[in-house]
Amino acid sequence: MIHLLKRFKPAITLYNLLHARQLRHNEEAYRTYGLNKHLFQSLSSKDFPDKTSRAWLDQQDSRIVLKEDARLASFPEHVQTGILGWSDQGYLIWEKFLSRETIADINEEASRIALSGKVSITHDNKYPFLNRESKKIDDITRNPELIRLLSLLLGKEVVPFQTLNFVKGSGQRAHSDSIHMTTYPLGYLIAVWIALEDVHPDSGPLCYYPGSHKLPYLLNDDFGKISTAWMTGNRSYAEYEDVIEDLIHKQKLEPAVFLPKAGDILVWHANLLHGGQPIENPDRTRKSMVVHYYAKDVIKYHELTERPSLMAGSR
Ligand SMILES: O=C(O)CCC(=O)C(=O)O
């Protein structure tokens, strides 16, 4: 019953009406991109004319356009290499980005909030939106050096949307974040994975598929999730994951495994396939935090659920 209600478009509109203030961030972007819908209505890729990324480093090669760019020199040398390889690889790693003291602070804040029961765990292993509960965590998401890097990669101002904290590995199957957090034009999401402890290979590390961001974006229609005037499409998330798994086999993509030290970060592209490796030792923790960012001035929504994104404190 709940499942049907979540797919019923008038119920989505009602839910959105109750969260009207958090939808205002889309107002100007609807005008900019000529979207003739009300802010409260459901939204999916069917409402847009194309599935092309307009992010500048998808349209041009970072190795060419950033080689002589003065902004490059302000980043550590290994990060400069990552930035230059962005168009080709779809990810970069920044080692020792956060100090051990900052990591200890985040871990302390995360445990404090978890123990307080203020935020409930989702999908068995994720604490969402701890940035709304802790100024220290929120400050990390707004770290000026990080924002400078992400804005350079997207070619637009970025805003944090969501944090996800993990104590253990996610064991999540491979996916592109653009099925969950979607933009029009496409390509304007970017994510940062922060190691909150040294990651052990048995703990279910993050894995990712270098170069997979260049594959076409796989959205609802591409796995048969077809909506009607009244209902959003009826396909499960597992069916999406099956299609991605097939794609990985067909394209013979090889995963890379991220085994960072505490404080290292990995930044990934809106369409880079990634997931969590199986957990070999369930006693091991894998403390980590993901921050998802949108470009500020694009349309932000959730393709899977066909809802516009709610941005707390927007405008
Ligand atoms: O940390 C992981 O294992 C996966 C996280 C992830 O897929 C995500 O946040 O999009």
Side-chain angles (χ1 to χ4, degrees):
M1 185 64 189
I2 298 271
H3 173 67
L4 273 180
L5 202 59
K6 281 187 172 170
R7 291 185 41 226
F8 188 48
K9 287 187 175 178
I12 295 181
T13 303
L14 181 63
Y15 179 84
N16 288 337
L17 264 165
L18 296 173
H19 295 85
R21 257 176 355 117
Q22 294 177 57
L23 289 168
R24 287 207 205 128
H25 62 92
N26 267 341
E27 204 167 8
E28 205 168 312
Y30 275 30
R31 268 197 300 275
T32 305
Y33 295 105
L35 180 64
N36 196 13
K37 269 199 145 177
H38 203 282
L39 288 179
F40 307 137
Q41 283 180 275
S42 66
L43 194 58
S44 79
S45 54
K46 268 175 78 163
D47 293 302
F48 301 112
D50 65 86
K51 289 185 180 179
T52 312
S53 166
R54 289 195 212 159
W56 78 302
L57 297 181
D58 292 336
Q59 299 198 328
Q60 301 174 66
D61 188 337
S62 47
R63 225 174 274 288
I64 296 167
V65 292
L66 283 171
K67 198 165 188 291
E68 308 294 337
D69 195 303
R71 290 171 292 179
L72 200 60
S74 64
F75 295 101
E77 221 164 284
H78 76 281
V79 180
Q80 292 184 28
T81 307
I83 295 171
L84 291 175
W86 180 260
S87 296
D88 201 37
Q89 297 293 315
Y91 77 95
L92 67 78
I93 291 167
W94 189 331
E95 288 173 2
K96 300 189 178 132
F97 176 72
L98 292 177
S99 67
R100 295 261 161 180
E101 295 74 52
T102 308
I103 295 299
D105 272 355
I106 304 178
N107 282 329
E108 208 177 292
E109 286 288 272
S111 326
R112 178 182 62 76
I113 302 164
L115 285 173
S116 76
K118 263 190 177 170
V119 174
S120 40
I121 208 157
T122 56
H123 302 106
D124 290 342
N125 54 20
K126 295 178 190 174
Y127 288 97
F129 292 113
L130 296 196
N131 53 329
R132 293 184 188 166
E133 305 297 327
S134 156
K135 180 168 175 340
K136 278 186 184 165
I137 292 180
D138 190 54
D139 284 349
I140 300 295
T141 71
R142 297 174 197 278
N143 176 299
E145 268 190 302
L146 186 56
I147 296 289
R148 217 155 37 78
L149 172 69
L150 304 179
S151 303
L152 173 65
L153 294 172
L154 285 195
K156 278 185 181 289
E157 188 182 341
V158 296
V159 283
F161 167 60
Q162 174 205 52
T163 57
L164 291 174
N165 278 68
F166 297 85
V167 177
K168 303 249 174 159
S170 72
Q172 207 174 329
R173 293 171 70 192
H175 61 280
S176 153
D177 281 347
S178 291
I179 192 72
H180 298 291
M181 287 154 285
T182 323
T183 60
Y184 185 81
L186 282 167
Y188 285 116
L189 175 102
I190 195 160
V192 178
W193 196 100
I194 303 172
L196 297 178
E197 66 179 335
D198 298 353
V199 172
H200 191 279
D202 289 352
S203 67
L206 175 77
C207 66
Y208 55 98
Y209 294 82
S212 57
H213 64 300
K214 292 189 223 162
L215 293 169
Y217 283 75
L218 205 144
L219 300 172
N220 285 348
D221 285 5
D222 302 308
F223 71 106
K225 192 171 183 296
I226 312 290
S227 62
T228 65
W230 291 95
M231 300 294 279
T232 66
N234 188 19
R235 281 281 187 280
S236 70
Y237 183 54
E239 288 172 271
Y240 164 83
E241 292 174 319
D242 289 344
V243 174
I244 291 288
E245 198 172 299
D246 268 2
L247 186 67
I248 287 171
H249 284 305
K250 281 197 186 109
Q251 298 282 330
K252 299 189 171 56
L253 300 179
E254 288 298 329
V257 177
F258 189 41
L259 293 174
K261 299 282 181 210
D264 295 351
I265 65 172
L266 187 145
V267 180
W268 70 69
H269 182 283
N271 199 35
L272 190 85
L273 298 179
H274 63 278
Q277 290 234 301
I279 300 168
E280 302 294 342
N281 180 351
D283 293 334
R284 281 208 183 270
T285 57
R286 196 215 64 179
K287 292 181 189 162
S288 53
M289 176 162 101
V290 180
V291 192
H292 293 106
Y293 294 82
Y294 283 124
K296 189 172 179 187
D297 65 357
V298 297
I299 298 173
K300 313 167 192 70
Y301 70 100
H302 307 287
E303 173 74 355
L304 198 65
T305 53
E306 302 190 28
R307 293 165 188 268
S309 301
L310 301 179
M311 302 281 288
S314 64
R315 283 227 302 207

